[in-house]
C-alpha cells in the first residue's frame, strides 16, 4: 500500500498513513516520509505504539540523535529520551506538583523549538505518546516558515543576516526556574543564524522560540520587538495546529521551521508519559 500524505491545515502538518514505521523502512519509503517532513514540517502517525528500540531506530533515519542528560531534572534523565511526564522513571509513581521536575516542565508551555540553545541545533524531534490523560495535555504547533513568508521583501532582507543568542538559563528563568551550577555546566549561551533554509525545498523560516534571548548587536527593546513580532506572525491562528493526543500517536516536528508548546493537564489525577528523541542537525557549519 502506498503512503498517503494528507495535509492537516492549508499551511502545514500532514497525517501519514499506509506505512508501519515500526518496521525497518526501505530507502524509498523513508524518502517519501522525509520529503513529507520537508514539505509539511509536522508529521502525524496514529496507531503506531513504539517500543524504546523502535523509537530510536525510526528517529535515527532522520539523523544522529542528540545526547541526553545522565542525571538531572528531566524525568527522562539517564535514558536516551527526554520525557514529558508526571511519572517517576524508576518507581512509576506520580511526581508531586511541587517537585522540581514538574516545575521544570512548565517552560514547555511557552512557545519553543527544542535544543535551539545547543551549539548544534536540532533538525527535528520525534515524540511518542505512551500514556495520555483523558483530557488536557494537547500540544500546539506553529509555523515559523509561515512567519517568514508573511514578511515583506524589505523585512526579509533586513533580517537575512541576523544572528540570535539562545540561552537555556534565560528561557527557564521566565518561569522562575533556577538551575544549580552543576545543571548549568555546558549550557553557555550559543549563537545561530535567525533565517534557516530548508535544503530540500529551499523554503526559509526563522528559528525562534523561548530560548531566543536577543539579536546579537541590537538594543534590547528592538531585539525583543523583532522576536515578539516573528513569534506573533508564526502563532496567528491560521498558522497553528493543536494536537489532542491518543496513545500510540507519533509526531515528528521540525525544530527550525516550527515552534510548539505543551498545554495543561491535571497532573495530580491523571498520568501522562510522552517520550522524545531529538535529532541533531549534525552540521555545525550550517548553524
Ligand atoms: C517536547 C515538548 C510538548 C508536550 O517534548 O519537546 O515540548 O506537550 N512536548 O509534551
Ligand atoms: Mn519541546
Amino acid at each position: 500500500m502506498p503512503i498517503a500524505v494528507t495535509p492537516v491545515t492549508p499551511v502545514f502538518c500532514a497525517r501519514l498513513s499506509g506505512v508501519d514505521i515500526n518496521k525497518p523502512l526501505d530507502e524509498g519509503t523513508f524518502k517519501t516520509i522525509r520529503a513529507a517532513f520537508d514539505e509539511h514540517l509536522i508529521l502525524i502517525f496514529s496507531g503506531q505504539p513504539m517500543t524504546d528500540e523502535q523509537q530510536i531506530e525510526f528517529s535515527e533515519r532522520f539523523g544522529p540523535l542528540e545526547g541526553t542528560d545522565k542525571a538531572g531534572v528531566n524525568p527522562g534523565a539517564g535514558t536516551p529520551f527526554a520525557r514529558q511526564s508526571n511519572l517517576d522513571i524508576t518507581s512509576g509513581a506520580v511526581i508531586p506538583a511541587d517537585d522540581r521536575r514538574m516545575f521544570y516542565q512548565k517552560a514547555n508551555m511557552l512557545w519553543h523549538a527544542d535544543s535551539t540553545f545547543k551549539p548544534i541545533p536540532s533538525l527535528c524531534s520525534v515524540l511518542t505518546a505512551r500514556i495520555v490523560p483523558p483530557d488536557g495535555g494537547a500540544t500546539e504547533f506553529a509555523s515559523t516558515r509561515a512567519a517568514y513568508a508573511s514578511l515583506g521583501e524589505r523585512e526579509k532582507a533586513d533580517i537575512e543576516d541576523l544572528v540570535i543568542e539562545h540561552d537555556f538559563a534565560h528561557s527557564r528563568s521566565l518561569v522562575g526556574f533556577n538551575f544549580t551550577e552543576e545543571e548549568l555546566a555546558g549550557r553557555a549561551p550559543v549563537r545561530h543564524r535567525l533565517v534557516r533554509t530548508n535544503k530540500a525545498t529551499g523554503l526559509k523560516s526563522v528559528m525562534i522560540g523561548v530560548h531566543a534571548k536577543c539579536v546579537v548587536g541590537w538594543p534590547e527593546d528592538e531585539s525583543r520587538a523583532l522576536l515578539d513580532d516573528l513569534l506573533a506572525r508564526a502563532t496567528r491562528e491560521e498558522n497553528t495546529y493543536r494536537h489532542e493526543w491518543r496513545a500510540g500517536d507519533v509526531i515528528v516536528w521540525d525544530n527550525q521551521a516550527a515552534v510548539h508548546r505543551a498545554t495543561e493537564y491535571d497532573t495530580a489525577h491523571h498520568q501522562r508519559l510522552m517520550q522524545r528523541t531529538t535529532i541533531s542537525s549534525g552540521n555545525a557549519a550550517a548553524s
Side-chain angles (χ1 to χ4, degrees):
M1 190 165 122
I3 301 182
V5 179
T6 312
V8 174
T9 89
V11 172
F12 74 147
C13 300
R15 270 192 178 276
L16 269 62
S17 55
V19 58
D20 182 348
I21 55 174
N22 284 320
K23 294 226 174 87
L25 301 169
D26 61 54
E27 276 306 313
T29 303
F30 185 72
K31 234 174 142 180
T32 305
I33 294 173
R34 178 63 208 239
F37 168 75
D38 288 318
E39 183 178 353
H40 300 283
L41 308 178
I42 316 286
L43 303 182
I44 304 164
F45 302 87
S46 288
Q48 308 243 3
M50 284 185 161
T51 63
D52 291 357
E53 292 70 28
Q54 285 167 330
Q55 179 165 355
I56 289 169
E57 197 168 319
F58 175 65
S59 301
E60 282 180 335
R61 295 302 295 269
F62 288 87
L65 300 194
E66 285 185 357
T68 47
D69 295 335
K70 301 244 175 316
V73 273
N74 184 283
T79 77
F81 306 97
R83 283 180 150 198
Q84 316 309 340
S85 184
N86 60 338
L87 303 176
D88 183 276
I89 196 159
T90 38
S91 69
V94 169
I95 305 171
D98 60 359
D99 187 290
R100 246 177 131 240
R101 286 169 292 175
M102 295 308 292
F103 194 49
Y104 171 82
Q105 291 180 68
K106 290 234 181 265
N108 281 340
M109 293 185 189
L110 302 173
W111 289 109
H112 68 281
D114 300 327
S115 298
T116 64
F117 53 85
K118 294 194 176 173
I120 300 176
S122 160
L123 169 70
C124 64
S125 295
V126 175
L127 192 65
T128 59
R130 308 297 180 99
I131 302 173
V132 170
D135 48 48
T139 306
E140 297 182 330
F141 299 92
S143 170
T144 69
R145 180 182 282 173
Y148 181 85
S150 74
L151 296 169
E153 289 314 308
R154 175 73 202 273
E155 292 165 307
K156 285 179 183 165
D158 285 348
I159 68 164
E160 180 65 27
D161 294 321
L162 295 184
V163 173
I164 304 297
E165 185 166 297
H166 296 258
D167 184 353
F168 194 58
H170 159 74
S171 52
R172 296 286 150 169
S173 74
L174 295 177
V175 291
F177 189 89
N178 291 312
F179 285 101
T180 62
E181 270 190 26
E182 212 178 340
E183 287 164 348
L184 276 179
R187 296 238 193 261
V190 298
R191 293 177 171 193
H192 297 303
R193 291 183 66 93
L194 172 62
V195 177
R196 322 298 296 181
T197 307
N198 181 293
K199 289 194 188 77
T201 63
L203 294 170
K204 291 185 177 180
S205 60
V206 283
M207 189 163 77
I208 52 172
V210 73
H211 311 301
K213 185 170 155 190
C214 59
V215 181
V216 175
W218 278 28
E220 199 178 323
D221 53 343
E222 285 176 39
S223 171
R224 189 40 39 213
L226 175 69
L227 291 169
D228 288 350
D229 176 58
L230 292 171
L231 187 65
R233 288 167 183 272
T235 58
R236 284 177 188 159
E237 198 175 343
E238 65 269 26
N239 297 333
T240 66
Y241 165 68
R242 179 182 172 91
H243 188 75
E244 307 283 350
W245 293 91
R246 294 172 67 169
D249 284 353
V250 177
I251 297 192
V252 183
W253 64 68
D254 193 306
N255 280 319
Q256 302 197 19
V259 286
H260 61 277
R261 66 176 177 186
T263 63
E264 301 271 359
Y265 67 102
D266 183 346
T267 64
H269 298 100
H270 298 306
Q271 302 189 346
R272 185 175 192 259
L273 172 54
M274 315 293 288
Q275 201 157 276
R276 190 185 90 206
T277 28
T278 317
I279 293 89
S280 175
S281 65
N283 182 359
S287 67

